[in-house]
Amino acid sequence: MKRFRRHGQESHRDRIKQELYGFNKTVEHGFPHQPSALVFSPSLQLLAIGTRSGAIKLYGAPGVEFMGLHDENAAVTQVHFLPQQVDLVTLLDDNSLHMWTLRAHHGVSELLETGRFTLTGPPGAPPSVTRVTAVLTHSSGDMLFLGTEGGHVFVVEVPGFRELEERNISLENVTNSLPEDYGGRRILEHVESLQENPVNPRQVLIGYGRGIMVIWDLERHSAVKHIPATQQLESVWWTEDGGHVLSSHSDGSYCRWMVAGEGTQSEPEKSEVPYGHFPCKAISKIIQLPTEQGPPFLFLSGGMPRASYGDRHCISVIHSKTHVALDFTSRIIDFFVIRDGPDHIGDPSALVVLVEEELVVIDLQTEGWPVIQTPYLVPLHCSAITCSHHVSAIPLKMWERVLSAGALQNTHYSKKPWPITGGQNLSPDAPQRDLLLTGHEDGTVRFWDASGVCLYPMYKLSTAGVFLTDAEPNEPNMNQCTEGEWPPFRKVGCFDPYSDDPRLGIQKIHLCKYSGYLTVAGTAGQILVLELNDEAAEQTVEATVADLLQGQESFRWKGHTRLEVREEPVTFPPGFQPFSLVQCQPPAVVTALTLHSEWKLVTFGTSHGFGLYDYQQKSNVLVRCTLNPSDQLAMEGPLSRVKSIKKSLRQSFRRIRRSRVSLRKHHVNSAAKVQEANARLEAELAEMELAPVQRKIEARSSDDSFTGLVRTLYFADTFLSDSSHHTPSLWAGTNGGSVFAYQLRLPPVERRSEDPVYANPAKEIQLMHRAPVVGIVVLDGHGSPLPEPLEVAHDLARSADMQGCHQLLVISEEQFKVFTLPKVSAKMKLKLTAIDGSRVRRVGVAWFGSSRSEDYGESGLTVLTNQGDLHVVSLPGVKLQVQYPCIRREDVSGIASCVFTKHGQGFYLISPSEFERFSLSTCCVVEPRSLVEVPSQTPGTTLPRAQPDGPSVAHRNSTRDTDDVAVLQEIQKSLEGYQPTFLENNVKSALAGGKVLTNGD
């Protein structure tokens, strides 16, 4: 009966876990790492990007996002949408082709891979015969033309990937069609480009690497025109009227060829080297688009003078008398142009450029061609990310103030709306306003709207203006080209990986969402306190020095020097403005930072100690050195070249020697106790449940380096001296397993600005195994974590229970240990390392709401280990609830970058430019939900196919009864999202007039 009741209790608890916890990786924020291919579908209004890791990502209107990943570990080299369809084809560098489709399921589109194909040549043929170098999706929507390294063009039917051998264009056929005067003396090389005639789909232009271009008639299966360019071919563009072909070449030139009529054109109508007669780099891509009134737009990628500007990454835009060379800070991957009108054949409206580190969109219809701010694909790593901080449920007033400050920084952007509008965003509105703050190497803090699917930039704070650096705070705008400069460069994009001074790097951030106070700490021991202000202000920031060594002359700092503070007043724009500065000495990296805006206090820690600063009176309250005599390594600093390798090796050998001695002693004493232990164990197992197999935790030596490094700081209003009086307190945890508690005495509110704050030492705890302390939490009488500062005052949380006993939860890398307060006696513990060898790397407190009942929820600890696993630990019981694998254990930087939210979500860097978002909560999930519908079909030309028997496709289309078409459309609609692939293909093929397959096929 007892066992049955326990089973029932466990089942009830399991049901609650299912209602509270569930792991999902929901969305990737930021810019794809190492992009390798770009394409745009005018009919779907979708943008697709392929990456070198094999990912394929689709973007439409803000919030419309899809992602797929190829099974093969190969780079995506080309992406192509099938015209007027929701299908696309990818080419990988392993020469495989993959078909993807956006298929509706339960009212939401999903990106699915539906097929794959690899060209196979005749037996014994070299790989170059079938190595694909160019892909053309024919306007009929059912054929792919694949140009190869061997010069052949293969024709493949889609979506089934069936090779149409009778339509293949062999290199021999093309060579035989060339005129005799130059056909034999030139090798055509690979197929560089394939272009369809815009006004005659029966003609395809084949551009070969050596420069020769051939216009091939698909019906007559013969060449109708030859264009004998003499320079290495880079790209081809067929003008919209079908009368001219533009070719760009490796010598930085481009040519204009008239293609009306048949035969051979020996000379181009126009040949030009845009940037002079000196040797130039290749023009890798060329596009020319007409305008309704006036001259056409010409777009050129590359072509810069090799000696002077060969290292520039440029796209030249030429229109009438305007000529601009857009200068990007990273390598250009590809670009396309968006056009006006319902059919997208109007004037060019926007130039979209994918470079290696960002996506840049240029407004072509506003004077000056300004940049359009991107709502997604923003380069998070415009300067390298050094830390992050998440704040949930921002009050509306503060949200609007931050937005207003950010809007003043964005006046240089175009006012035009985002031009990519495909799909419908079906995601529900965000229930609250969330901020993600990222600190960067250049001393900036960027504020991101993290409420929904898109991580949208709101505001940028720069701290460099407080200090004397190489960059002036009010330097002129470098984006505009100088009058008369040639080439006419104009800097575009925001990616700037170079930092003027690495000491500016932001290491810790803490924002109070209620008061508008922000504190940030940097690499050189600087701690800035800032306040949100709606008006510009000119002020001087004075520094207060915190000597963490407290006069210990035996230690000598070998690292970088401190940053020099500007003595003259600095004008700060509206937004967060610094008014107070603490400078740690030595100027080591700040490792912990916490702000209490209600008490007007900031506490900070480094590898040498910690301090408490009163930012209302601008004075130090407490400075405590935590250095151990063996912590000489802590004096070297992260930017120092002096590395104590000998000491590290010595410590390693010392640990190994201790382990061996311990094993020998254990072996001698254990033999006599084996039988006694076995008998006792058998008796105990008969009466109790088996506990998990636990590993022995080896105590760490106090000689280990960095034992004084401060890992966590925490403010709490709790019981320290006795159980009847609660007082403000400060808690600090170190790398050596020490916890220091200080009782704070705050003056009355009316005397707060005159009377000093006092900090008196109250408690000190030393963990037995000296494991680093990574978190401290005080639980009130109900076992709930204490509310945040000012949270109760704003009626957003209930007051902490001060009637029952408080508990102190100390989280080390190895275990969770609960102590009673004020006596600080151990109550319970959970040994994480003993169970599976994991160590805690990140920890946060979260509220998990029930997916079934809005009135029920539980507090818990969200934990990330060095194995990359996520855990939820219950509070106050400290029991492991769930465990999920999340990050690869080898991804050390990803684990180190993880940040948790207050509602069971989290972010971590999967690359220098991308955050992966995940959720551990069933009721707090942010993920894209989008629908993309098949575009309305426009009348097009269908090419006749070789039919061994039966009427032609055109004849079948003309004789098909319209009622049959309506029935097929109804079938397709009813089966959408549920039918097997062959059924879907049958319906689609029947609607297009193709062959209907059977199960046997």
Side-chain angles (χ1 to χ4, degrees):
M1 185 67 181
K2 186 176 179 180
R3 184 176 301 173
F4 175 78
R5 190 183 306 118
R6 182 183 300 149
H7 175 74
Q9 291 171 351
E10 290 176 356
S11 298
H12 175 67
R13 184 60 200 167
D14 289 340
R15 285 196 298 270
I16 292 178
K17 287 182 182 180
Q18 292 174 4
E19 295 174 13
L20 297 177
Y21 313 119
F23 176 67
N24 289 290
K25 291 185 179 180
T26 55
V27 65
E28 294 179 2
H29 297 299
F31 185 78
H33 186 51
Q34 296 181 327
S36 54
L38 172 73
V39 72
F40 177 69
S41 170
S43 60
L44 297 177
Q45 280 288 297
L46 291 180
L47 161 80
I49 294 176
T51 72
R52 287 168 57 182
S53 61
I56 176 76
K57 300 189 176 187
L58 275 61
Y59 301 90
V64 176
E65 299 183 10
F66 303 94
M67 179 187 168
L69 186 64
H70 295 87
D71 294 334
E72 295 78 3
N73 187 20
V76 179
T77 57
Q78 295 186 46
V79 186
H80 300 271
F81 279 100
L82 298 186
Q84 301 295 324
Q85 298 180 42
V86 290
D87 303 312
L88 65 156
V89 175
T90 56
L91 173 67
L92 307 189
D93 66 356
D94 64 359
N95 206 42
S96 62
L97 288 157
H98 301 255
M99 179 68 69
W100 297 81
T101 189
L102 288 168
R103 184 173 298 167
H105 183 63
H106 297 308
V108 179
S109 296
E110 298 175 344
L111 182 61
L112 302 173
E113 184 178 0
T114 58
R116 61 188 64 190
F117 172 75
T118 303
L119 272 179
T120 55
S128 62
V129 171
T130 55
R131 180 77 184 177
V132 178
T133 55
V135 178
L136 169 65
T137 55
H138 195 267
S139 60
S140 62
D142 56 7
M143 283 194 299
L144 290 180
F145 290 79
L146 307 176
T148 66
E149 197 175 283
H152 305 279
V153 177
F154 295 85
V155 184
V156 176
E157 183 184 54
V158 288
F161 281 134
R162 183 173 68 90
E163 184 180 343
L164 303 176
E165 296 184 8
E166 68 279 1
R167 290 195 173 277
N168 290 346
I169 306 169
S170 68
L171 180 63
E172 292 74 20
N173 290 343
V174 175
T175 304
N176 293 336
S177 69
L178 295 175
E180 295 182 359
D181 57 343
Y182 65 92
R185 62 183 177 88
R186 302 191 76 109
I187 300 175
L188 298 182
E189 285 193 353
H190 63 280
V191 177
E192 182 65 46
S193 180
L194 291 168
Q195 292 283 323
E196 181 181 340
N197 189 334
V199 298
N200 183 3
R202 294 177 176 82
Q203 289 185 353
V204 171
L205 184 145
I206 309 170
Y208 292 92
R210 277 293 177 89
I212 294 177
M213 291 167 279
V214 176
I215 297 178
W216 191 265
D217 190 294
L218 300 175
E219 281 190 343
R220 293 157 54 180
H221 206 66
S222 63
V224 296
K225 195 171 190 68
H226 304 90
I227 304 172
T230 56
Q231 291 294 330
Q232 186 84 16
L233 186 67
E234 293 290 329
S235 75
V236 176
W237 180 259
W238 207 326
T239 59
E240 198 170 82
D241 59 7
H244 294 85
V245 166
L246 277 71
S247 60
S248 67
H249 301 276
S250 59
D251 64 346
S253 67
Y254 73 90
C255 302
R256 178 183 173 93
W257 309 83
M258 182 178 290
V259 294
E262 299 186 0
T264 301
Q265 183 177 354
S266 57
E267 295 294 332
E269 189 179 87
K270 177 184 178 181
S271 179
E272 185 176 342
V273 181
Y275 293 106
H277 302 291
F278 293 104
C280 293
K281 298 195 73 175
I283 297 177
S284 58
K285 185 171 182 177
I286 184 169
I287 292 177
Q288 179 179 295
L289 294 173
T291 58
E292 290 185 3
Q293 298 176 349
F297 272 88
L298 182 64
F299 305 89
L300 307 170
S301 176
M304 288 293 119
R306 188 176 295 275
S308 305
Y309 305 107
D311 58 342
R312 300 288 186 100
H313 312 287
C314 296
I315 290 180
S316 301
V317 184
I318 304 169
H319 177 61
S320 186
K321 296 182 180 180
T322 305
H323 184 151
V324 172
L326 302 172
D327 188 8
F328 300 89
T329 57
S330 56
R331 185 173 62 90
I332 295 168
I333 304 298
D334 204 350
F335 69 92
F336 62 84
V337 180
I338 298 176
R339 304 175 67 179
D340 277 342
D343 297 326
H344 314 292
I345 56 174
D347 286 357
S349 61
L351 169 66
V352 181
V353 185
L354 176 68
V355 295
E356 205 163 32
E357 305 294 350
E358 61 185 317
L359 183 81
V360 181
V361 181
I362 308 293
D363 177 5
L364 298 175
Q365 296 184 339
T366 301
E367 186 178 358
W369 296 342
V371 172
I372 301 175
Q373 188 172 19
T374 54
Y376 47 72
L377 291 172
V378 184
L380 307 177
H381 63 316
C382 45
S383 174
I385 295 176
T386 49
C387 67
S388 54
H389 174 66
H390 187 274
V391 187
S392 301
I394 303 295
L396 178 60
K397 185 176 181 181
M398 181 181 177
W399 186 266
E400 291 174 342
R401 294 176 69 190
V402 173
L403 273 177
S404 177
L408 296 174
Q409 300 176 335
N410 298 332
T411 54
H412 60 286
Y413 284 117
S414 169
K415 305 301 181 186
K416 285 286 185 69
W418 182 243
I420 301 172
T421 58
Q424 303 173 43
N425 179 14
L426 304 179
S427 298
D429 293 337
Q432 60 188 24
R433 294 169 292 273
D434 290 353
L435 272 180
L436 180 67
L437 283 69
T438 53
H440 297 264
E441 191 179 43
D442 62 355
T444 59
V445 178
R446 296 171 192 261
F447 289 63
W448 307 89
D449 179 356
S451 312
V453 173
C454 294
L455 197 64
Y456 188 77
M458 294 177 63
Y459 166 74
K460 182 178 81 170
L461 163 70
S462 177
T463 63
V466 179
F467 306 100
L468 290 169
T469 60
D470 295 335
E472 293 298 321
N474 298 315
E475 63 184 6
N477 186 1
M478 302 299 292
N479 286 353
Q480 302 304 322
C481 56
T482 309
E483 188 72 25
E485 180 186 10
W486 189 261
F489 291 119
R490 178 184 144 202
K491 283 279 185 185
V492 287
C494 61
F495 176 72
D496 182 12
Y498 305 107
S499 173
D500 296 311
D501 193 329
R503 295 175 297 172
L504 289 170
I506 305 297
Q507 297 296 329
K508 295 292 176 182
I509 306 170
H510 195 119
L511 170 68
C512 175
K513 61 187 177 185
Y514 303 112
S515 64
Y517 284 107
L518 169 72
T519 179
V520 297
T523 302
Q526 71 272 24
I527 298 102
L528 279 168
V529 187
L530 308 97
E531 185 176 12
L532 185 57
N533 195 341
D534 298 329
E535 302 294 333
E538 185 180 47
Q539 57 196 40
T540 303
V541 181
E542 296 181 2
T544 301
V545 176
D547 182 10
L548 294 176
L549 292 182
Q550 297 179 301
Q552 297 190 33
E553 298 180 357
S554 59
F555 292 94
R556 187 171 61 88
W557 174 248
K558 304 174 185 177
H560 50 269
T561 59
R562 56 181 281 186
L563 285 162
E564 295 298 323
V565 183
R566 292 182 183 273
E567 297 180 356
E568 69 277 8
V570 179
T571 301
F572 297 103
F576 285 93
Q577 299 170 350
F579 66 89
S580 195
L581 169 65
V582 183
Q583 178 60 59
C584 297
Q585 282 291 85
V589 173
V590 177
T591 57
L593 181 71
T594 301
L595 166 75
H596 200 295
S597 53
E598 191 172 359
W599 299 342
K600 302 291 192 294
L601 297 174
V602 168
T603 179
F604 52 88
T606 71
S607 55
H608 307 122
F610 60 92
L612 180 64
Y613 178 73
D614 180 351
Y615 63 80
Q616 183 168 353
Q617 297 186 20
K618 298 185 179 180
S619 62
N620 288 324
V621 177
L622 164 70
V623 175
R624 169 71 184 260
C625 180
T626 56
L627 274 177
N628 187 288
S630 64
D631 279 352
Q632 288 293 342
L633 201 59
M635 304 306 296
E636 297 183 359
L639 305 180
S640 172
R641 296 186 180 184
V642 181
K643 299 298 179 184
S644 184
I645 298 176
K646 290 183 178 179
K647 181 167 184 177
S648 298
L649 290 172
R650 191 163 55 245
Q651 290 168 349
S652 299
F653 283 120
R654 197 175 294 155
R655 276 194 292 267
I656 293 171
R657 196 159 50 244
R658 281 199 306 270
S659 299
R660 288 175 177 171
V661 170
S662 174
L663 285 173
R664 280 198 296 269
K665 290 180 180 179
H666 176 72
H667 179 72
V668 171
N669 297 329
S670 62
K673 300 179 181 179
V674 170
Q675 293 180 347
E676 179 185 352
N678 285 341
R680 187 168 59 251
L681 182 61
E682 289 177 5
E684 291 175 353
L685 288 178
E687 300 177 1
M688 60 179 288
E689 290 185 351
L690 278 171
V693 177
Q694 296 194 346
R695 300 152 42 116
K696 182 180 178 182
I697 302 175
E698 182 180 344
R700 306 188 187 197
S701 169
S702 59
D703 294 337
D704 288 354
S705 296
F706 293 109
T707 56
L709 186 145
V710 178
R711 293 285 293 270
T712 185
L713 293 161
Y714 182 72
F715 286 112
D717 186 357
T718 187
F719 301 93
L720 267 183
S721 55
D722 58 65
S723 58
S724 57
H725 299 90
H726 58 90
T727 60
S729 62
L730 168 65
W731 301 78
T734 71
N735 219 37
S738 298
V739 177
F740 304 97
Y742 281 78
Q743 186 173 346
L744 307 180
R745 196 171 72 201
L746 301 173
V749 176
E750 62 273 9
R751 301 284 302 169
R752 180 64 181 83
S753 57
E754 293 87 15
D755 294 351
V757 178
Y758 293 99
N760 302 314
K763 307 285 183 185
E764 185 171 335
I765 305 170
Q766 178 62 59
L767 298 183
M768 183 182 302
H769 297 293
R770 301 183 182 274
V773 178
V774 296
I776 296 173
V777 179
V778 172
L779 307 176
D780 67 7
H782 292 305
S784 301
L786 299 183
E788 295 180 13
L790 296 175
E791 194 173 18
V792 176
H794 285 76
D795 296 326
L796 295 173
R798 69 179 185 183
S799 299
D801 178 57
M802 295 296 180
Q803 303 302 319
C805 295
H806 283 202
Q807 301 174 77
L808 172 68
L809 172 59
V810 177
I811 304 144
S812 74
E813 284 190 353
E814 298 176 351
Q815 64 183 7
F816 306 81
K817 197 164 187 177
V818 179
F819 299 87
T820 59
L821 288 176
K823 293 184 177 180
V824 193
S825 56
K827 183 179 180 181
M828 66 182 82
K829 63 183 175 183
L830 170 66
K831 294 194 253 183
L832 186 69
T833 301
I835 295 173
D836 60 6
S838 300
R839 296 185 186 276
V840 177
R841 286 290 179 260
R842 287 288 181 270
V843 65
V845 177
W847 174 259
F848 294 91
S850 171
S851 59
R852 294 190 178 182
S853 173
E854 294 182 0
D855 300 328
Y856 184 77
E858 295 181 4
S859 291
L861 292 178
T862 48
V863 179
L864 177 68
T865 71
N866 63 334
Q867 307 293 322
D869 294 335
L870 289 168
H871 301 258
V872 176
V873 177
S874 64
L875 292 176
V878 194
K879 293 183 179 179
L880 193 61
Q881 299 298 301
V882 289
Q883 176 180 350
Y884 305 103
C886 180
I887 310 175
R888 291 181 300 106
R889 61 182 298 178
E890 298 83 12
D891 187 5
V892 178
S893 60
I895 293 172
S897 67
C898 182
V899 57
F900 290 114
T901 78
K902 298 292 185 182
H903 294 87
Q905 298 187 76
F907 302 80
Y908 68 94
L909 288 172
I910 54 175
S911 74
S913 59
E914 292 172 289
F915 274 113
E916 176 85 72
R917 186 174 191 146
F918 62 85
S919 177
L920 288 163
S921 170
T922 56
C923 68
C924 190
V925 179
V926 176
E927 59 184 349
R929 292 179 57 84
S930 312
L931 178 63
V932 176
E933 297 178 338
V934 180
S936 56
Q937 297 288 333
T938 56
T941 302
T942 302
L943 293 176
R945 299 188 185 169
Q947 298 288 335
D949 296 299
S952 67
V953 174
H955 176 70
R956 289 206 309 273
N957 283 339
S958 64
T959 58
R960 178 180 293 152
D961 190 86
T962 54
D963 290 337
D964 292 340
V965 175
V967 169
L968 286 168
Q969 289 174 338
E970 191 65 25
I971 292 172
Q972 186 181 29
K973 183 178 179 181
S974 65
L975 290 176
E976 185 172 310
Y978 301 98
Q979 69 273 31
T981 303
F982 84 93
L983 275 178
E984 181 192 57
N985 291 339
N986 274 344
V987 174
K988 188 182 295 183
S989 181
L991 285 171
K995 177 185 176 184
V996 177
L997 301 175
T998 65
N999 278 318
D1001 295 328

